[in-house]
Amino acid sequence: MVGLEDKLLNVILETEKISEADVEKVRHLQKETHERVDRILLNLGIISEEDLRDSFGELFNLPVWEMKRGEKFEAIEFLPITFLSSNRILPLKQYNGSVDIVLADPTDRSLIELIETSTEKRLKIFVGCEKDIITAIEEVYSAEVGEEVAYGLDSEVADDLEKLKDLALEAPVVRLVNNILNKALEIGSSDIHIEMFENQPRLRYRLDGVLRDYAPPTRDLYFATVNRIKIMSNLNIAEKRLPQDGRIRLKVGGREIDVRVSVIPMLYGEGIVLRILDKSNVSLDLVKLGFEGVILKNLRNLIKKPEGMILVTGPTGSGKTTTLYASLKEIISPELKVVTIEDPVEYSIEGVNQIQVNHKINLSFAAGLRSILRHDPDVILVGEIRDKDTASISIQSALTGHLVLSTLHTNDCASTFGRLLDMGVEDYLISTCVIAVLAQRLLRKLCDCKIEHPMDSDTKMRIGVSEECTIYKANGCDECGNTGYSGRVAVSELLVVNDAIRKLIINHESSNIIEQEAIKHGMRTFWDDGVSKMAKGVTTLSELERVIEK
């Protein structure tokens, strides 16, 4: 609606209901909140609903409907009441295969097409105020609306499963959930967060690692939305007291999409997080992921080793598994047998034997690893080392002539050895088997709309550079949703274990000492790699400082 929003602002400007200063304020707020400009204008009280109605009428050349005292409307049975109330639609009358309807939002073409398709009638559209439409619907359908709206708001109706299912399967709810999922795919979101707070629901998408607000479902549709998602992911819609996990598999435009669903009970209603796993949208290429220079060269040499353990560390969502998949893709060949054990298997890789952890039948990482060793593998990928058993068997596998790749949750390379010691792994085994540790984070990449930003002497001192270089800052355009960023890139440090590092591990030295020793032998830190990417115009200083502590 970006082009329409500009036109709408121009129409309202011409009526002198707003000033140029108001327009600038609205544009600034829209960049921050990503809310529609008409909602911002109303929420700030800059214009009235009547002003917006009249402006929509002029913009789309639609007749304006004003509610008159004593006006009569006829109830229309072929459109569900919940659909009318949640979408702010008022049918005025029907005649000769046509229907006159009033909309509060005439910009929603998909809604108009849905009504035409489902009713098989021609529509004459009027534009009206949301408050008047709601009032009129309540008057015409008072008994039914009262019953259905109360039902939508009442979380205690879980006992009536048939009603819950019926509501969740109604056209507006199905359409709403489809739109939420389609929007995530359209903008490249990794996660969808749907939450309920005291006053209203909240919908957020995680885009390039940062959560952003979008228009949420109405309060009366929120519980139906939760139930619809539960039905799609084969969860128990009657269970509202315990967390539940499920999965949705979709086919969108020939692409197979996996959606991991997590439902958790919260104070005002259940919260849902949907993790989008879009196989077609993932690049399993080390260069495209952001690895370069000496780090890329060393990593490629390491993954070709016949034995030893390589660990990738970092917080959740830092791209560890993607890096491991990209590493496997570089070495897959008919001469190698590669087996993985993962929880869950996020993406299938041709030529790789992949095992899914299943705790219900006691197929854990440790149990799976024991079986894998009897299948004569050359390379083993362990999704995550979480406990002593998994760590010990992984180490033993590396010790007996296998290349083992795995992940671990630590902040940097040097603290990985202390983490393994805390798990109870013997120091001599760690020093013998671990050949390298790769730590990584993800930085947002600048969009092509970036602009040059002069670097003053204070900035040079802060980032530790002396030479002149051009850096950039985020700007914002339609392509990047006015964020200034598009996509993410890995920033990393690679610690290759040598004799000096082995001695420090045996002596249980602190991570600081191990890090300093690694730097002496040429290890580039997170900060060094990030500054290099910033100097190449890949990211910004503010993004680097947000993610990496110098």
Side-chain angles (χ1 to χ4, degrees):
M1 189 187 164
V2 176
L4 284 175
E5 290 180 333
D6 290 334
K7 292 176 182 177
L8 179 63
L9 285 172
N10 289 333
V11 167
I12 303 174
L13 262 174
E14 288 174 4
T15 65
E16 299 183 351
K17 298 287 185 181
I18 59 173
S19 64
E20 292 286 356
D22 291 328
V23 172
E24 288 303 312
K25 182 178 182 181
V26 168
R27 290 192 191 283
H28 177 72
L29 282 171
Q30 202 217 17
K31 279 190 177 182
E32 289 186 351
T33 66
H34 299 276
E35 188 66 83
R36 286 172 41 158
V37 298
D38 54 324
R39 306 316 301 178
I40 295 172
L41 287 166
L42 288 175
N43 292 340
L44 293 178
I46 296 174
I47 63 171
S48 66
E49 282 195 38
E50 287 77 13
D51 295 331
L52 180 61
R53 175 201 64 196
D54 295 345
S55 299
F56 272 144
E58 184 174 342
L59 179 61
F60 293 101
N61 195 27
L62 294 173
V64 167
W65 173 77
E66 295 183 59
M67 190 171 184
K68 300 178 181 66
R69 183 176 296 180
E71 187 175 358
K72 300 295 183 183
F73 314 99
E74 56 181 281
I76 292 178
E77 296 179 356
F78 50 73
L79 290 172
I81 317 312
T82 48
F83 179 69
L84 297 177
S85 59
S86 62
N87 290 288
R88 310 306 189 230
I89 302 166
L90 174 66
L92 293 176
K93 62 178 179 179
Q94 56 178 323
Y95 52 92
N96 299 329
S98 298
V99 183
D100 290 355
I101 63 169
V102 184
L103 298 177
D105 180 12
T107 67
D108 194 343
R109 289 302 310 168
S110 59
L111 176 63
I112 295 169
E113 289 169 8
L114 177 66
I115 298 170
E116 288 177 330
T117 303
S118 60
T119 63
E120 297 182 346
K121 295 181 183 294
R122 294 186 301 275
L123 300 183
K124 182 177 180 182
I125 309 295
F126 292 76
V127 61
C129 294
E130 187 173 303
K131 61 184 180 183
D132 292 341
I133 292 172
I134 293 169
T135 301
I137 290 173
E138 288 174 351
E139 287 181 5
V140 180
Y141 306 93
S142 55
E144 295 169 88
V145 171
E147 180 183 337
E148 294 206 21
V149 170
Y151 165 70
L153 291 174
D154 185 5
S155 62
E156 299 300 320
V157 297
D159 295 333
D160 194 339
L161 297 181
E162 289 309 311
K163 283 187 179 179
L164 282 173
K165 287 180 180 177
D166 289 345
L167 186 60
L169 294 171
E170 281 191 7
V173 179
V174 172
R175 174 174 164 270
L176 173 62
V177 173
N178 288 346
N179 285 346
I180 288 172
L181 290 167
N182 285 334
K183 183 67 176 178
L185 296 173
E186 178 190 325
I187 65 176
S189 170
S190 61
D191 302 86
I192 306 169
H193 292 242
I194 306 171
E195 302 148 311
M196 187 67 185
F197 292 93
E198 183 176 7
N199 297 317
Q200 64 178 22
R202 190 177 194 185
L203 171 65
R204 292 184 290 175
Y205 292 93
R206 190 175 293 280
L207 184 60
D208 296 334
V210 178
L211 282 171
R212 300 197 175 277
D213 277 305
Y214 283 78
T218 57
R219 185 178 172 87
D220 55 329
L221 271 181
Y222 169 78
F223 295 104
T225 300
V226 171
N227 288 327
R228 170 64 183 163
I229 293 170
K230 282 184 173 182
I231 289 170
M232 292 174 72
S233 49
N234 295 314
L235 299 180
N236 182 358
I237 65 171
E239 179 56 73
K240 296 182 179 293
R241 299 165 300 169
L242 295 173
Q244 297 186 73
D245 294 312
R247 173 173 282 194
I248 301 170
R249 286 188 174 171
L250 306 170
K251 252 195 171 177
V252 181
R255 295 150 59 193
E256 285 193 2
I257 311 295
D258 275 353
V259 182
R260 295 212 311 257
V261 180
S262 177
V263 184
I264 297 180
M266 296 184 180
L267 185 59
Y268 296 106
E270 291 171 290
I272 290 187
V273 174
L274 300 101
R275 166 64 60 87
I276 310 293
L277 300 174
D278 184 359
K279 300 173 186 178
S280 66
N281 202 29
V282 175
S283 173
L284 299 181
D285 183 301
L286 289 173
V287 175
K288 290 180 180 177
L289 290 176
F291 296 98
E292 58 187 14
V294 67
I295 293 178
L296 178 63
K297 180 183 176 183
N298 288 342
L299 181 58
R300 281 177 163 161
N301 288 335
L302 287 161
I303 59 178
K304 291 173 184 173
K305 298 276 187 186
E307 60 187 21
M309 175 182 276
I310 301 171
L311 294 170
V312 181
T313 77
T316 301
S318 59
K320 300 185 296 296
T321 303
T322 304
T323 296
L324 286 180
Y325 281 165
S327 300
L328 284 183
K329 205 165 181 185
E330 291 228 346
I331 60 173
I332 292 171
S333 72
E335 289 79 30
L336 290 178
K337 175 155 185 173
V338 182
V339 185
T340 77
I341 180 159
E342 306 167 63
D343 184 21
V345 174
E346 295 192 5
Y347 305 104
S348 66
I349 308 174
E350 190 174 348
V352 175
N353 300 279
Q354 295 173 273
I355 301 170
Q356 167 80 50
V357 165
N358 189 339
H359 295 290
K360 291 179 181 176
I361 57 172
N362 295 319
L363 177 56
S364 62
F365 279 117
L369 264 172
R370 291 187 183 96
S371 299
I372 286 172
L373 291 173
R374 293 193 287 271
H375 273 249
D376 187 30
D378 297 292
V379 181
I380 302 170
L381 186 153
V382 183
E384 184 182 349
I385 293 178
R386 298 176 181 171
D387 51 49
K388 182 181 178 181
D389 275 354
T390 308
S392 297
I393 300 169
S394 299
I395 290 277
Q396 288 296 334
S397 302
L399 197 62
T400 54
H402 306 88
L403 178 66
V404 179
L405 310 176
S406 190
T407 71
L408 199 65
H409 285 282
T410 60
N411 290 329
D412 52 37
C413 291
S415 57
T416 300
F417 308 106
R419 179 81 180 96
L420 290 171
L421 288 168
D422 290 341
M423 283 184 175
V425 182
E426 299 290 345
D427 49 27
Y428 70 91
L429 289 175
I430 299 171
S431 65
T432 302
C433 296
V434 178
I435 59 175
V437 181
L438 174 73
Q440 71 178 60
R441 301 286 189 278
L442 294 177
L443 297 176
R444 288 183 294 170
K445 290 167 61 179
L446 277 165
C447 176
D448 290 337
C449 64
K450 63 190 177 184
I451 55 178
E452 288 190 14
H453 180 59
M455 186 162 54
D456 55 33
S457 56
D458 289 341
T459 303
K460 287 181 187 176
M461 187 178 298
R462 192 162 88 247
I463 65 177
V465 299
S466 55
E467 71 278 4
E468 289 294 329
C469 71
T470 301
I471 62 173
Y472 295 82
K473 69 176 182 178
N475 183 28
C477 65
D478 291 347
E479 289 296 317
C480 62
N482 289 314
T483 64
Y485 297 96
S486 180
R488 289 189 288 177
V489 65
V491 59
S492 55
E493 58 183 30
L494 178 62
L495 188 157
V496 180
V497 178
N498 56 26
D499 289 339
I501 300 291
R502 290 189 186 95
K503 287 179 184 176
L504 297 178
I505 295 169
I506 293 290
N507 293 333
H508 294 207
E509 293 288 359
S510 70
S511 60
N512 288 338
I513 292 175
I514 293 175
E515 181 179 60
Q516 290 305 313
E517 186 65 31
I519 290 171
K520 278 184 196 176
H521 289 85
M523 183 184 85
R524 295 179 69 194
T525 64
F526 279 132
W527 186 261
D528 296 333
D529 192 32
V531 168
S532 171
K533 287 179 168 61
M534 182 191 69
K536 292 175 182 176
V538 175
T539 191
T540 62
L541 176 58
S542 60
E543 179 67 5
L544 181 58
E545 291 180 325
R546 181 183 72 86
V547 176
I548 306 298
E549 186 176 343
K550 190 172 185 298

